[in-house]
Amino acid sequence: MSMKSIRLLFVPVYKKELKTYFISPIAYVILFIFNLVMGFIAYTLLGYYHLMSMRASAYPYGGFSLNPTEMLGGPIFHNMAVTSLFMLPLLTMRLFSEEKKTDTIELLFTYPLRDWDIVWGKFLAVLTIYAVMVGLSAIFFGMVEIWLNFDKRAILNAYLGLLLLGASFLAAGLFLSSLTENQIVAAVMTFGLLLLFWIISWVSELAGPRFKEFFTSLSLFEHYDNFPKGILDTRDIIFYLSFSALFLYLTLRVLASKRYRG
Amino acid sequence: MIEARNLTKYYGRTKALDNISFTVEKGEIVGLLGPNAAGKTTMMRILTCFLPATSGTAKVNGYDVAEQPLQVQRSIGYLPERTPLYDELTVTEFLNFVGEVKGITGREEKRKRLGTVIEECGLREVQNKLIAKLSKGFRQRVGLAQALINDPPCLILDEPTIGLDPKQITETRKLIQNLAGNRTVILSTHILPEVSMTCQRVMIINEGKIVAIDTVENLTARIQKTVEINLQVEGNSQQVKKCLQEIEGVESVELIPPETEKVNHFVVRSSRGVDLRKEISRKVVNSGFVLYEISLKEMSLEDIFLRLVTRE
């Protein structure tokens, strides 16, 4: 057995998961609905921006205060994050639950794979679908680019933030899917957990000065705000990476303990 | 090839396997018999590294199930109970996935192995169908195909014929016999004739313990202390009975009703496992009766099984 074949064992799992999403209508429905909603939001925001620029043009130098990256990009990226929060639990809910329900987990666990290959393959597969999902929205920026000048670095930065945020959502979803064989339960738990990690900063005003910073820094969305502004802070990157890593690790623990309990 | 030593498995406080030890030689087909919840599936799951044993060790193809799970899993083709499969894939897609997972690299090798198992398992006509659309018989064959895809030296099949109709059962059984080749096979089943038809050795387990492990013939001999001989003889029933009782070694003669004027059915029992067919036939014929039929009553595997499992 060569080293190469050991290291790349997650690849077949990845390919199979990806294929499964595209065979069933799940991937197409999620890609379509997400971009339908985003298209509507972007269209509306563009309309408002158009109105404002018309008004501003009535005054000399009025247009200087209009920044498309901030006024269009900002809300669009915020809405993409919120829409992802609604959509991603539906993408991750089947990952382990379905295998447990249909007993295929026994096949998977008796194939020569390490738990890590299974978790990593499944995670990368949903991450790929998510990347395609949000990536399609770039068409919008490409289209209005003819008339508007975006700060390209800020837009790219925002996409990076979106990817990191999504990875955290997906890792949490993967973990919760490994806990139950009921997909609805997995989806609801994921949605609830993500929502809690979004609004956890609300408590920071009540928590007193000492814990204010702590609760704010736990919020999934507080860390996201910097990205569309073009700010790349290593603290935000590390937060998302450790959030994802923690849940991937917890998933591995669940898989290991499931084996021991039988 | 497969070696288990003092395997014990607890689920919480329930003991599923109790200090089980056995060896299966290379190329042997061993049937695993036992009532439901006897520990058959648990044992197979330990051998396939799906579950760890609470204590004890097992080796497959020279690899330890606890220490070298990847090597063990590469040496085994496993068909779990109820044949779980990825319904959303087609047969070819699924088998390709399993092939890649089991370390078949290279396009050419993959295609060759795929072609071989599709041929061996008779999947040609359904190879591009979704697994969800297959009949139970075909699902079972896909299950066997995924076990065989990397040509493993060992096969572990958990109730491969359950839920099939009689025709499919016969087909699957034949398939297993053909596929066995020089592979080591452990298969579990409820259906006793299946074991005597396909397996060289039988392992009977009950309540987590091995009750017996031997060939069907030896098991029969061991349990069958009295030999029973069936006779069909024409003649006066009472005279025939008397004549039979005179033979040395005969313990009892039973006339099986209905009693008729012509041919009657007798059962002769002899002790100490002596086969008296020669003496009986000679005596019957020499006494002027007509012997229509004489046969040794073989103990069926059902009888053996019930005796071993229900023994107090």
Side-chain angles (χ1 to χ4, degrees):
Chain A
M1 204 182 330
S2 67
M3 275 311 286
K4 194 178 152 227
S5 61
I6 284 187
R7 207 176 299 139
L8 296 177
L9 278 177
F10 73 89
V11 175
V13 180
Y14 169 77
K15 275 162 55 182
K16 190 228 127 220
E17 285 301 326
L18 208 56
K19 194 178 276 169
T20 305
Y21 275 112
F22 282 101
I23 288 167
S24 69
I26 307 172
Y28 295 108
V29 169
I30 284 192
L31 291 184
F32 175 72
I33 298 295
F34 178 84
N35 281 286
L36 183 74
V37 172
M38 288 329 298
F40 176 77
I41 290 172
Y43 172 78
T44 323
L45 287 168
L46 191 63
Y48 278 114
Y49 186 77
H50 177 70
L51 265 178
M52 283 170 60
S53 64
M54 291 282 271
R55 272 186 210 149
S57 67
Y59 310 100
Y61 308 113
F64 280 125
S65 61
L66 290 173
N67 176 345
T69 311
E70 202 175 291
M71 296 182 66
L72 263 179
I76 284 177
F77 278 103
H78 178 76
N79 282 307
M80 279 210 265
V82 176
T83 315
S84 299
L85 184 115
F86 285 103
M87 297 270 188
L88 294 194
L90 303 172
L91 201 58
T92 53
M93 65 180 187
R94 56 162 289 278
L95 283 171
F96 279 107
S97 305
E98 197 179 33
E99 302 238 21
K100 287 166 82 164
K101 189 96 182 175
T102 58
D103 289 326
T104 48
I105 196 91
E106 188 165 354
L107 280 183
L108 205 56
F109 275 166
T110 51
Y111 288 149
L113 295 167
R114 294 155 302 179
D115 290 0
W116 178 241
D117 300 312
I118 296 169
V119 169
W120 194 232
K122 282 178 180 286
F123 176 69
L124 284 185
V126 276
L127 192 62
T128 307
I129 290 175
Y130 172 72
V132 174
M133 178 177 107
V134 294
L136 282 173
S137 65
I139 296 172
F140 168 77
F141 292 104
M143 285 193 325
V144 292
E145 168 86 289
I146 309 167
W147 304 289
L148 297 170
N149 251 328
F150 287 108
D151 178 352
K152 285 198 192 62
R153 275 193 49 205
I155 297 290
L156 280 178
N157 204 41
Y159 273 113
L160 174 68
L162 208 51
L163 201 64
L164 287 167
L165 179 76
S168 307
F169 288 177
L170 295 170
L174 183 71
F175 164 66
L176 291 165
S177 175
S178 74
L179 292 180
T180 169
E181 60 175 46
N182 188 320
Q183 297 195 29
I184 309 281
V185 170
V188 171
M189 288 200 299
T190 310
F191 183 67
L193 182 92
L194 296 180
L195 207 54
L196 270 178
F197 266 100
W198 180 12
I199 58 178
I200 198 166
S201 55
W202 292 2
V203 84
S204 58
E205 292 303 326
L206 305 171
R210 190 179 300 182
F211 292 108
K212 184 180 173 179
E213 186 108 350
F214 172 72
F215 282 113
T216 310
S217 68
L218 273 186
S219 167
L220 277 167
F221 276 80
E222 294 290 331
H223 286 277
Y224 177 63
D225 288 343
N226 277 337
F227 286 96
K229 290 178 192 152
I231 303 165
L232 193 59
D233 189 334
T234 41
R235 276 179 303 183
D236 300 330
I237 297 175
I238 287 169
F239 172 78
Y240 286 126
L241 290 182
S242 20
F243 191 93
S244 309
L246 172 72
F247 280 104
L248 292 181
Y249 173 74
L250 288 176
T251 313
L252 283 174
R253 297 313 308 152
V254 171
L255 296 192
S257 74
K258 280 276 146 59
R259 287 189 183 196
Y260 280 86
R261 259 186 280 134
Chain B
M1 188 50 104
I2 298 174
E3 196 190 340
R5 232 186 267 155
N6 308 105
L7 280 183
T8 302
K9 174 75 184 172
Y10 280 93
Y11 294 114
R13 280 196 193 151
T14 326
K15 203 181 233 180
L17 284 186
D18 190 359
N19 206 21
I20 278 189
S21 302
F22 63 89
T23 316
V24 179
E25 298 300 334
K26 190 171 185 287
E28 239 186 333
I29 305 182
V30 172
L32 192 54
L33 278 178
N36 284 329
K40 293 174 296 193
T41 300
T42 303
M43 203 189 80
M44 293 188 155
R45 285 180 167 175
I46 290 173
L47 292 178
T48 52
C49 314
F50 182 66
L51 290 175
T54 309
S55 67
T57 56
K59 274 187 178 176
V60 176
N61 203 13
Y63 302 111
D64 190 291
V65 291
E67 308 288 329
Q68 298 153 295
L70 286 186
Q71 282 90 330
V72 168
Q73 287 169 334
R74 274 173 198 229
S75 314
I76 286 178
Y78 176 45
L79 177 66
E81 208 179 345
R82 277 168 306 196
T83 327
L85 299 169
Y86 290 106
D87 284 343
E88 62 276 9
L89 300 179
T90 67
V91 174
T92 314
E93 283 171 338
F94 174 60
L95 293 177
N96 264 325
F97 160 66
V98 183
E100 282 175 36
V101 161
K102 290 191 174 179
I104 301 176
T105 45
R107 197 172 285 240
E108 197 47 43
E109 198 195 343
K110 222 159 65 183
R111 231 186 42 205
K112 241 171 77 185
R113 277 309 301 165
L114 188 71
T116 313
V117 290
I118 281 181
E119 212 51 58
E120 279 180 338
C121 300
L123 291 168
R124 172 144 304 223
E125 48 181 310
V126 295
Q127 59 181 327
N128 294 317
K129 272 197 180 173
L130 280 183
I131 291 175
K133 305 263 185 235
L134 297 183
S135 69
K136 234 173 166 181
F138 273 120
R139 281 183 74 88
Q140 210 64 24
R141 294 192 203 179
V142 176
L144 284 170
Q146 63 85 28
L148 288 163
I149 189 87
N150 64 330
D151 200 7
C154 299
L155 281 182
I156 294 185
L157 313 172
D158 200 351
E159 308 211 343
T161 55
I162 203 161
L164 299 180
D165 67 36
K167 188 166 162 267
Q168 292 168 331
I169 289 180
T170 329
E171 283 171 1
T172 310
R173 225 177 261 162
K174 232 181 254 164
L175 188 60
I176 292 171
Q177 270 171 319
N178 292 342
L179 295 177
N182 44 11
R183 293 191 179 95
T184 311
V185 183
I186 296 186
L187 69 93
S188 76
T189 179
H190 290 307
I191 309 165
L192 301 168
E194 191 162 293
V195 177
S196 36
M197 262 179 257
T198 41
C199 305
Q200 290 141 9
R201 273 207 298 164
V202 192
M203 177 151 58
I204 299 178
I205 63 175
N206 188 32
E207 288 168 0
K209 283 185 185 140
I210 295 185
V211 188
I213 176 163
D214 215 329
T215 60
V216 179
E217 297 80 52
N218 285 352
L219 277 179
T220 317
R222 229 174 72 190
I223 289 172
Q224 204 166 14
K225 289 193 187 88
T226 48
V227 175
E228 292 188 348
I229 294 159
N230 285 311
L231 281 173
Q232 301 273 359
V233 183
E234 190 186 305
N236 182 285
S237 57
Q238 290 314 310
Q239 283 174 8
V240 175
K241 199 170 172 183
K242 208 173 145 222
C243 156
L244 289 170
Q245 275 163 339
E246 284 165 8
I247 301 165
E248 200 185 333
V250 168
E251 215 162 56
S252 70
V253 177
E254 193 186 338
L255 176 63
I256 306 290
E259 197 178 336
T260 64
E261 286 298 304
K262 293 187 82 187
V263 184
N264 280 305
H265 182 193
F266 299 90
V267 174
V268 178
R269 292 194 184 80
S270 73
S271 54
R272 287 159 294 147
V274 198
D275 182 2
L276 291 172
R277 275 178 296 180
K278 206 165 89 184
E279 289 78 1
I280 291 173
S281 59
R282 193 173 288 154
K283 174 93 183 182
V284 168
V285 174
N286 288 346
S287 310
F289 304 114
V290 185
L291 180 61
Y292 278 85
E293 201 182 309
I294 183 164
S295 64
L296 198 63
K297 190 183 172 196
E298 295 226 35
M299 217 176 177
S300 70
L301 204 52
E302 269 95 346
D303 300 330
I304 302 172
F305 178 72
L306 284 175
R307 280 219 203 159
L308 283 171
V309 167
T310 55
R311 193 173 51 189
E312 287 174 40

